Amino acid sequence: MINIHSGLRLRPFRYPEDCSTALPWYQDKEVLYYSEGKTDGTYDLEVLERMYAYLLTIGEVCLIEVREGENWRAIGDATLSEEDLPIVIGVPDYRSKGIGAQVVRAFIERAKELGLPKLNVRQIYSYNERSRKLFVSLGFRAVDQGVDGNGIRYERFELELSGHTRWNADAEKDSFVETPDPDAHDIRRWIADMERTPELIRRCVEGMTDAQLDMSYREGGWSVRQLVHHLADNDLHAYVRFKRAMTEETPVMPSYEQEKWAELADYREPVEVSLRLMEAVIARLAALVKTMTPDQFQRTLTSSSFGTMTLAVALQRLRWHDRHHLAQIEKARGRGCH
């Protein structure tokens, strides 16, 4: 769930039940004219289900919801992917009210969280000046043009993403705050962040000399080299925790003396060893958690440090832990690593 403000949010799309909610929008010829370039006919439920099934394979699909009194009303849809950024305001009363701009801004921040290098808007038709002005005002630029199968001219727009929001030096100061009752969107986001960690760490230390790797982010803190090796060790422990919790009833997971581990000889090895280890372990862990059901994320383990927790909380803790230490590496290097 992305809460833009108290009266506007992006709710993860529920397939296939939300298709019927969206059907009236795609039977509006004005919507299809501006979004699809379609000049005749409308979509039926079968076509709409195929469309959403495809969109769900390339990105995060959300319903745009506004608060009306005590209830939330779906008024359109939006998809965040690196390939395209389709947004439809399906309810006429909510068009030309700035909602599209708010959605795009929220997606830009979300894309930075995911570490996407850029965003693309695949087609803005020549007659859709309103959409063109919207994306240009938010920093997108036209990078290509073409003609679709119906002979309608369009432009492709692109936004290079610089800086970042969640993965930044301020994260080094953050404390873990549990998200209560995480939904499927939260879980997908945490998994995506987890999968990005090895690449972000590799990018962050790329080109650093041995002397730089042995620098600390603060006086008395671990060096960059120690942080990388620690992240690999923690990922190994996380993998074992998930495997045991999936096959045992609330296993008790012992802690380890991480400060003492950081002084052992293997923490003086080249960071490439641990970068490869992280890549392999996270690939295995991702393969596991991507198949887990909501009920399986409610399975529990007991940590000697943090008590009993669900696997949903364990996943969130892993994401926070990696973000926290990545921010320390960024601080030592003096720049972000996206």
Side-chain angles (χ1 to χ4, degrees), residues 143-159:
V143 294
D144 197 6
Q145 57 184 330
V147 178
D148 74 2
N150 295 316
I152 306 174
R153 297 187 65 82
Y154 66 84
E155 288 181 297
R156 181 171 70 84
F157 285 77
E158 183 179 278
L159 176 68

Side-chain angles (χ1 to χ4, degrees), residues 13 18-36 38 40-45 47-49 51-52 55 61-64 75-79 86-91 95:
F13 192 86
D18 282 337
C19 293
S20 58
T21 299
L23 183 59
W25 311 333
Y26 289 90
Q27 293 182 332
D28 182 334
K29 291 186 177 182
E30 182 179 351
V31 166
L32 295 177
Y33 177 64
Y34 283 105
S35 65
E36 309 293 332
K38 190 175 178 66
D40 60 332
T42 58
Y43 286 3
D44 59 23
L45 188 58
V47 171
L48 202 59
E49 287 178 348
M51 181 191 81
Y52 282 121
L55 291 174
V61 184
C62 299
L63 286 188
I64 304 168
I75 63 159
D77 63 40
T79 299
I87 297 172
V88 163
I89 306 298
V91 178
R95 294 173 192 157

Side-chain angles (χ1 to χ4, degrees), residues 217-232:
Y217 67 97
R218 64 172 173 80
E219 185 177 353
W222 283 345
S223 68
V224 172
R225 189 187 306 274
Q226 288 173 309
L227 287 167
V228 173
H229 292 316
H230 168 71
L231 282 163

Side-chain angles (χ1 to χ4, degrees), residues 150-264:
N150 295 316
I152 306 174
R153 297 187 65 82
Y154 66 84
E155 288 181 297
R156 181 171 70 84
F157 285 77
E158 183 179 278
L159 176 68
E160 295 280 351
L161 296 174
S162 60
H164 42 83
T165 52
R166 297 295 181 89
W167 296 91
N168 58 51
D170 289 338
E172 192 266 324
K173 305 171 186 176
D174 290 348
S175 297
F176 176 75
V177 178
E178 180 181 333
T179 298
D181 302 319
D183 57 23
H185 180 80
D186 294 318
I187 296 295
R188 286 197 301 271
R189 178 162 55 89
W190 297 337
I191 293 172
D193 286 345
M194 178 191 74
E195 287 187 287
R196 287 281 289 158
T197 297
E199 179 186 349
L200 291 172
I201 299 295
R202 180 177 288 280
R203 191 180 303 174
C204 212
V205 302
E206 187 175 21
M208 293 182 74
T209 65
D210 281 338
Q212 290 171 322
L213 288 168
D214 290 328
M215 292 189 309
S216 174
Y217 67 97
R218 64 172 173 80
E219 185 177 353
W222 283 345
S223 68
V224 172
R225 189 187 306 274
Q226 288 173 309
L227 287 167
V228 173
H229 292 316
H230 168 71
L231 282 163
D233 282 343
N234 189 74
D235 289 346
L236 276 171
H237 276 76
Y239 177 64
V240 172
R241 285 193 291 269
F242 270 80
K243 295 276 279 192
R244 288 193 59 189
M246 285 289 287
T247 56
E248 304 172 32
E249 295 303 319
T250 315
V252 177
M253 304 301 299
S255 185
Y256 62 99
E257 296 288 345
Q258 61 180 26
E259 297 292 341
K260 293 181 179 179
W261 282 37
E263 298 302 322
L264 295 175

Side-chain angles (χ1 to χ4, degrees), residues 134-147:
L134 164 63
F135 284 101
V136 169
S137 73
L138 294 174
F140 287 77
R141 61 186 181 89
V143 294
D144 197 6
Q145 57 184 330
V147 178

Side-chain angles (χ1 to χ4, degrees), residues 8-129:
L8 180 64
R9 71 183 186 182
L10 300 177
R11 174 175 67 74
F13 192 86
R14 302 186 186 113
Y15 185 87
E17 52 264 37
D18 282 337
C19 293
S20 58
T21 299
L23 183 59
W25 311 333
Y26 289 90
Q27 293 182 332
D28 182 334
K29 291 186 177 182
E30 182 179 351
V31 166
L32 295 177
Y33 177 64
Y34 283 105
S35 65
E36 309 293 332
K38 190 175 178 66
T39 56
D40 60 332
T42 58
Y43 286 3
D44 59 23
L45 188 58
E46 182 180 353
V47 171
L48 202 59
E49 287 178 348
R50 288 202 303 269
M51 181 191 81
Y52 282 121
Y54 166 72
L55 291 174
L56 286 163
T57 67
I58 66 168
E60 297 181 353
V61 184
C62 299
L63 286 188
I64 304 168
E65 294 189 330
V66 297
R67 185 183 288 278
E68 293 185 345
E70 297 299 315
N71 301 312
W72 288 94
R73 179 186 180 188
I75 63 159
D77 63 40
T79 299
L80 171 63
S81 79
E82 198 170 345
E83 299 180 22
D84 200 7
L85 201 67
I87 297 172
V88 163
I89 306 298
V91 178
D93 289 346
Y94 284 97
R95 294 173 192 157
S96 302
K97 294 185 179 294
I99 291 175
Q102 294 178 73
V103 171
V104 175
R105 289 191 190 98
F107 271 173
I108 290 172
E109 294 308 307
R110 173 68 184 135
K112 291 176 180 178
E113 287 183 4
L114 294 173
L116 298 182
K118 65 181 66 175
L119 289 174
N120 286 283
V121 181
R122 191 164 53 196
Q123 289 181 337
I124 295 182
Y125 288 103
S126 56
Y127 50 77
N128 194 352
E129 187 62 22

